[in-house]
Amino acid sequence: PAQTMEELVSLCKRRGFIFQGSEIYGGLQGFYDYGPLGVELKNNIKAAWWRSNVYERDDMEGLDASIIMHRMVLRHSGHEATFSDPMVDNKKNNKRYRLDHLLKDQKADVQARVAELMGESVENFAALVAALNANPAQASQALRDAGVRDSFSGEVGEWTEPKPFNMMFKTTIGPVADDESYGYLRPETAQGIFTNFKNVVDSTSRRLPFGIAQIGKAFRNEITPRNFIFRVRELEQMEIEFFVVPGTDEEWHEHWLEKRLKWWEDQGVPRSKIEILDVPKEDLAHYSKRTYDLMYDYPTLGHEEIEGIANRSDYDLGSHTKAQGELGLVAKVEENSDSIAKLTIPHPETNKPVVPFVIEPSAGVDRAMLAVLSEAFTKETLENGNERIVLKLKPHLAPIKVAVIPLARNKEEITSVAKAIKAELQSLGLGRVLYEDSGNIGKAYRRHDEVGTPFCVTVDFDTVGKGEDAGLVDTVTVRDRDTLSQERVKISELAGWIQAKLR
Ligand code: ATP
């Protein structure tokens, strides 16, 4: 695995996985662009998720809801009121920080001093942040008295009182910018699922338990985007809302925890690198009855969230439904007089309408990219003493499955065979197969090691009967990324050979 974030960032830029957004104008913080290989890897991760969670189950439907949503959706979901982080400004340079991030950036003695001034302990970090947030005047005094330093300049800052900052992007809809004509870019894909619950049930005749899966972009105006693609403002999520009979929710929560850990393992992210955090009651989000956060051990960052698996109880459907009073809701919801739909489904035993509980596994695509790349990243010393970087990606995730290389790029008899092989392998539907004639073969191998191409197929003079060994006519060399073994395979058997290896 990668040892530092830096070596990943460098590989991603050098080989065309990930670029800074709007780079030619100096870059835009918190936005990244996925390059030629990044888009393939990302698509492969999403496809693997969709295959496992939709196609391989018979209790799941897919959805692709719109990104911009009616402001009522985000009001009744609770996001208008609570989707905020406390932030503080440094008056000296007008820089703004998320309070918990600022505190994490401080030396241990400064953190301890802040805690002492607030009558809290650093060990219970969440309680300390909560205390700072709840007592703005005392908090700004404590930050000053403890000598809290600016994260970037390193100088002691002059801190304002913490204020909540809503992270939703708001946008004008239509030609008139009046008080009513606005909507939000969704901060999570989940709300599109809840608002379509009735549509999906009515059109598919689903009964409990069943789920709806969705992959798509979400937007959060993070105060301090950082750590490469770990914390960005435009992100992509892979989310499931799994609807269950109330009372069976805890069992299903465990089911999904197990399923998701297994999935990460199948993508090359082992269980031993993921800590399961049973989120303490006082840190739970407003909708959650219980949440497991999967904390992957990222290079440089250490254990940070890669996926949250929440028991959202009947909070969401209960918040978006009309006739809340008649439904015996368990969650505490705000009154809703705007919704025109009753979000219930018949109880499978009694047939009485019930608002189901929801288990939500929610994973970030960008954080998945980072984890998958990090686990695959390998530095090896070869027998001849040379060092190589190789991405040992699972074959189903590799951006390029096979590179077909003609040993001489201007010998028609060789290039035509290589092109025919490329066309045949491409037609198998494995993903990208690349015809590669960009230079010397050693360089091509090195490049394909670094981007994780499982196989390189070389067409040489022997293949076309112009070499020394007549026994090698109509065969090619297949080089294995991981073992570096080179095997001669008959062209007529190549497709089957590759298919078997990539399965
Ligand atoms: P954090 O505490 O790290 O801000 P969160 O608890 O707000 O994350 P959730 O709201 O649970 O995150 O979102 C579900 C998933 O979406 C996360 O597990 C993560 O993979 C992804 N995610 C959330 N915010 C971001 C972001 N700013 N950049 C990249 N991925 C994100």
Side-chain angles (χ1 to χ4, degrees):
Q3 300 303 306
T4 65
M5 189 66 88
E6 232 177 349
E7 57 191 358
L8 278 185
V9 174
S10 148
L11 175 82
C12 284
K13 162 109 192 179
R14 188 170 71 246
R15 293 302 188 192
F17 283 91
I18 301 164
F19 310 122
Q20 174 68 59
S22 307
E23 194 174 64
I24 65 166
Y25 289 101
L28 194 56
Q29 235 195 50
F31 298 91
Y32 285 88
D33 298 336
Y34 287 86
L37 295 175
V39 60
E40 298 291 340
L41 176 56
K42 203 178 190 205
N43 283 342
N44 292 342
I45 290 174
K46 292 190 278 184
W49 185 92
W50 195 265
R51 204 161 49 235
S52 151
N53 291 298
V54 183
Y55 296 163
E56 288 173 9
R57 298 183 67 106
D58 289 310
D59 54 4
M60 193 76 73
E61 300 289 350
L63 183 76
D64 182 17
S66 74
I67 286 172
I68 294 182
M69 305 193 84
H70 198 292
R71 62 205 154 88
M72 284 303 162
V73 174
L74 283 318
R75 175 165 308 165
H76 290 293
S77 68
H79 285 87
E80 258 189 358
T82 64
F83 194 65
S84 57
D85 279 326
M87 51 141 202
V88 288
D89 291 348
N90 181 1
K91 284 194 253 175
K92 279 191 186 162
N93 57 7
N94 273 324
K95 289 248 193 278
R96 175 165 286 182
Y97 298 94
R98 206 170 116 176
L99 186 56
D100 57 336
H101 289 169
L102 181 69
L103 210 53
K104 272 197 185 143
D105 289 343
Q106 304 303 309
K107 295 226 170 76
D109 58 321
V110 176
Q111 292 178 347
R113 183 83 185 114
V114 174
E116 193 188 326
L117 290 165
M118 296 302 295
E120 296 283 339
S121 83
V122 178
E123 281 65 52
N124 195 343
F125 193 77
L128 173 55
V129 173
L132 287 162
N133 198 24
N135 309 287
Q138 196 193 344
S140 94
Q141 197 62 48
L143 297 182
R144 289 181 210 201
D145 291 351
V148 165
R149 289 173 185 277
D150 189 278
S151 296
F152 286 100
S153 71
E155 283 174 32
V156 173
E158 199 176 308
W159 303 104
T160 62
E161 296 186 0
K163 271 196 299 250
F165 172 76
N166 195 297
M167 292 198 292
M168 285 197 292
F169 284 96
K170 199 173 179 182
T171 191
T172 305
I173 302 173
V176 192
D178 63 21
D179 284 353
E180 298 287 297
S181 317
Y182 67 90
Y184 294 107
L185 275 65
R186 63 185 180 196
E188 57 177 24
T189 68
Q191 296 307 320
I193 298 181
F194 299 129
T195 51
N196 279 292
F197 173 74
K198 208 172 150 33
N199 285 333
V200 174
V201 170
D202 290 350
S203 57
T204 62
S205 311
R206 282 286 177 188
R207 315 253 304 157
L208 292 181
F210 79 99
I212 303 177
Q214 174 166 236
I215 299 176
K217 294 256 179 160
F219 300 80
R220 300 180 178 190
N221 195 5
E222 298 275 359
I223 302 160
T224 23
R226 54 161 129 194
N227 297 326
F228 195 33
I229 53 169
F230 177 80
R231 185 173 303 285
V232 288
R233 289 178 166 142
E234 176 174 336
L235 54 133
E236 201 160 1
Q237 294 182 310
M238 307 182 280
E239 296 197 300
I240 295 164
E241 305 303 328
F242 200 79
F243 302 99
V244 305
V245 178
T248 65
D249 48 301
E250 291 178 9
E251 229 172 278
W252 278 106
H253 202 185
E254 301 304 315
H255 165 92
W256 278 108
L257 174 61
E258 201 43 48
K259 278 279 173 201
R260 296 302 306 143
L261 287 167
K262 169 76 171 53
W263 185 83
W264 284 111
E265 186 122 55
D266 293 342
Q267 313 317 311
V269 182
R271 281 182 198 220
S272 58
K273 295 289 288 286
I274 296 178
E275 264 174 19
I276 302 164
L277 175 69
D278 190 349
V279 179
K281 274 253 157 356
E282 62 271 20
D283 296 349
L284 287 176
H286 62 279
Y287 50 74
S288 174
K289 171 174 164 186
R290 186 177 189 181
T291 296
Y292 296 124
D293 279 347
L294 306 190
M295 312 291 281
Y296 170 71
D297 190 6
Y298 288 97
T300 305
L301 309 182
H303 288 277
E304 292 284 354
E305 179 177 332
I306 188 166
E307 169 161 1
I309 307 173
N311 181 341
R312 294 177 78 126
S313 73
D314 56 3
Y315 176 83
D316 303 277
L317 293 178
S319 294
H320 287 304
T321 188
K322 71 170 184 183
Q324 290 165 313
E326 309 164 10
L327 301 173
L329 296 172
V330 175
K332 259 217 326 252
V333 299
E334 297 283 321
E335 192 188 322
N336 187 337
S337 52
D338 301 303
S339 171
I340 53 171
K342 207 189 239 182
L343 304 181
T344 60
I345 187 169
H347 189 290
E349 277 135 40
T350 65
N351 256 338
K352 292 218 176 80
V354 60
V355 178
F357 268 42
V358 179
I359 305 299
E360 176 197 70
S362 168
V365 179
D366 313 85
R367 290 185 190 180
M369 289 274 294
L370 207 48
V372 162
L373 281 167
S374 171
E375 285 302 319
F377 188 96
T378 313
K379 250 187 197 157
E380 278 178 357
T381 309
L382 303 176
E383 271 167 27
N384 62 12
N386 287 350
E387 203 174 67
R388 74 160 181 163
I389 292 176
V390 51
L391 273 191
K392 296 194 169 174
L393 292 168
K394 297 272 181 189
H396 71 281
L397 296 180
I400 300 168
K401 307 303 179 193
V402 184
V404 183
I405 306 171
L407 205 58
R409 68 158 119 175
N410 41 23
K411 289 273 181 305
E412 214 273 324
E413 64 263 52
I414 288 183
T415 56
S416 62
V417 172
K419 281 179 183 160
I421 291 176
K422 137 102 207 200
E424 188 198 357
L425 295 181
Q426 191 61 69
S427 73
L428 300 176
L430 305 165
R432 179 148 211 209
V433 176
L434 191 70
Y435 174 82
E436 162 82 70
D437 67 350
S438 57
N440 87 37
I441 183 119
K443 268 197 185 151
Y445 284 162
R446 249 196 321 282
R447 177 165 57 252
H448 283 288
D449 282 347
E450 280 201 17
V451 306
T453 307
F455 300 106
C456 288
V457 169
T458 307
V459 178
D460 58 19
F461 288 96
D462 284 321
T463 310
V464 297
K466 299 249 167 102
E468 325 249 278
D469 192 340
L472 296 180
V473 175
D474 290 336
T475 68
V476 290
T477 302
V478 185
R479 175 185 180 271
D480 181 293
R481 174 193 75 193
D482 296 342
T483 65
L484 295 177
S485 71
Q486 305 210 12
E487 207 175 309
R488 241 15 232 204
V489 179
K490 282 191 189 145
I491 293 175
S492 59
E493 292 169 5
L494 183 63
W497 191 95
I498 296 267
Q499 260 176 326
K501 295 270 186 178
L502 287 179
R503 187 158 297 140

